[in-house]
């Protein structure tokens, strides 16, 4: 098994998996894309490549080794590498994608990992955008009943609990796709969150874990404002369109790398969705 390990969302990111948008297009499989398609035409391949290139440049600027998953023509959302597999402290977990249009993504991910996984999801559905390793020993798994259901969330949680971890399963409305549309870690003890939507008990639980939240309004969250990627050492990747949030993050003393990702956020995914962390150093 490759030496992939992730013990938190905020450890120093050293290796990440991305997939070029050679075949990306908006497909109406979620509420964000349906709204986008009502008022816009499909983006051009050149524009998509340019924006994805900005993301890759930001990652490399942050000292991250970028690994590339070869895109496949019939899998337009393969670019969102967060969802098909998630790395834990014990290695990678192969997820079980819910949408028929994305299920084939498992094959390329299996090839990349050489078939070596710590666990494989086999109960219900489980997608990486719902899995957040908050800090060593503590995780939360979102369960909307859409992309990740309770059976998938409970199976994953049981694996971590067997290792002595505390795992919270957070139920939310499937309108929001994944939990990372509403919540992401920015730095140790600091998250961004749509407090208009998230359950108050969840926010209180986060506070008990020593995590405070920068509030992101509903409108901004639906534009993927919460969907950020912590690089560690006080650095974070956040889409350029999230102006108010980026200012708030900088006010916290964080360095914000802000590639233009508007064509991807319009399709339902931001920096968090577009990246699959492979290794982080605590």
């Amino acid at each position: 098994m490759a030496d992939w390990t992730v013990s938190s969302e905020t450890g120093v990111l050293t290796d990440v998996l991305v997939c070029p948008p050679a075949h990306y297009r908006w497909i109406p499989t979620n509420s964000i894309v349906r709204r986008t398609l009502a008022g816009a035409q499909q983006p051009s391949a050149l524009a998509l490549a340019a924006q994805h290139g900005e993301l890759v440049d930001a990652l490399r600027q942050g000292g991250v080794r970028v690994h590339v998953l070869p895109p496949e023509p019939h899998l337009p959302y393969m670019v969102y590498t967060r969802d098909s597999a998630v790395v834990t402290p014990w290695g990678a977990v192969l997820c079980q994608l819910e949408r028929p249009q994305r299920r084939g993504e498992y094959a390329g991910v299996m090839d990349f990992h050489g078939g070596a996984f710590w666990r494989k999801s086999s109960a219900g559905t489980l997608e990486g955008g719902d899995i957040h390793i908050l800090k060593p020993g503590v995780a939360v798994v979102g369960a909307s009943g859409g992309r990740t259901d309770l059976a998938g969330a409970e199976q994953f949680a049981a694996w971590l609990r067997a290792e002595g971890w505390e795992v919270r399963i957070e139920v939310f409305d499937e309108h929001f796709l994944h939990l990372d549309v509403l919540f992401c870690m920015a730095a140790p003890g600091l998250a961004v969150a749509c407090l208009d939507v998230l359950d108050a008990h969840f926010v209180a639980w986060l506070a008990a874990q020593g995590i405070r939240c920068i509030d992101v309004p509903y409108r901004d969250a639906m534009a993927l404002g919460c969907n950020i990627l912590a690089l560690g050492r006080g650095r974070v990747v956040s889409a350029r369109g999230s102006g108010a949030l980026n200012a708030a993050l900088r006010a916290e003393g964080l360095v914000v790398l802000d590639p233009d990702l508007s064509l991807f956020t319009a399709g339902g995914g931001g920096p968090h969705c577009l990246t699959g962390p492979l290794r982080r150093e605590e």
Side-chain angles (χ1 to χ4, degrees):
M1 184 179 292
D3 185 25
W4 302 139
T5 181
V6 172
S7 297
S8 79
E9 288 272 336
T10 58
V12 177
L13 184 62
T14 65
D15 292 82
V16 72
L17 184 64
V18 304
C19 180
H23 310 293
Y24 180 81
R25 67 181 186 279
W26 296 327
I27 52 177
T29 57
N30 63 63
S31 55
I32 294 173
V33 184
R34 286 191 288 271
R35 183 177 61 187
T36 296
L37 286 171
Q41 295 186 345
Q42 292 285 348
S44 74
L46 283 176
L48 287 165
Q51 288 196 1
H52 197 266
E54 284 195 38
L55 172 64
V56 171
D57 287 345
L59 292 167
R60 288 178 172 149
Q61 181 182 337
V64 184
R65 287 182 290 270
V66 177
H67 304 259
V68 177
L69 188 66
E72 298 190 47
H74 59 291
L75 297 171
Y77 270 26
M78 200 172 178
V79 68
Y80 296 127
T81 54
R82 173 72 54 164
D83 296 325
S84 48
V86 61
V87 176
T88 72
W90 309 277
V93 172
L94 181 65
C95 295
Q96 182 89 294
L97 298 182
E98 186 269 341
R99 287 292 189 264
Q101 299 92 335
R102 298 196 64 185
R103 288 179 189 158
E105 294 177 27
Y106 81 94
V109 172
M110 287 191 75
D111 288 345
F112 175 81
H113 287 281
F117 294 93
W118 178 58
R119 296 287 188 271
K120 301 182 185 73
S121 175
S122 61
T125 56
L126 179 74
E127 302 197 357
D130 284 315
I131 297 168
H132 297 257
I133 300 178
L134 304 183
K135 58 184 179 179
V138 182
V140 60
V141 184
S144 68
R147 301 307 179 89
T148 297
D149 62 17
L150 278 173
E154 289 284 5
Q155 184 183 47
F156 181 84
W159 294 330
L160 269 60
R161 287 169 181 156
E163 301 294 333
W165 278 46
E166 178 180 353
V167 185
R168 180 185 177 95
I169 294 177
E170 184 62 25
V171 176
F172 64 100
D173 194 286
E174 65 180 291
H175 169 72
F176 299 101
L177 314 178
H178 291 124
L179 186 58
D180 66 3
V181 172
L182 298 172
F183 170 86
C184 275
M185 293 296 295
L190 182 66
V192 299
C194 183
L195 301 181
D196 291 342
V197 174
L198 290 171
D199 187 274
H201 295 291
F202 175 50
V203 179
W205 178 80
L206 289 170
Q209 299 294 337
I211 298 170
R212 61 186 177 89
C213 297
I214 297 174
D215 187 21
V216 176
Y218 169 82
R219 182 183 295 274
D220 293 347
M222 291 305 289
L224 279 293
C226 288
N227 199 267
I228 65 173
L229 176 71
L231 299 182
R233 295 199 186 104
R235 301 160 302 156
V236 64
V237 179
S238 179
R240 189 170 304 155
S242 301
L245 173 61
N246 294 346
L249 290 167
R250 290 183 175 113
E252 293 283 347
L254 299 178
V255 173
V256 179
L257 306 176
D258 57 350
D260 180 7
L261 297 172
S262 56
L263 298 177
F264 297 99
T265 56
H272 197 261
C273 301
L274 289 161
T275 51
L278 297 170
R279 184 187 292 114
R280 287 185 183 267
E281 296 175 352
E282 290 302 319

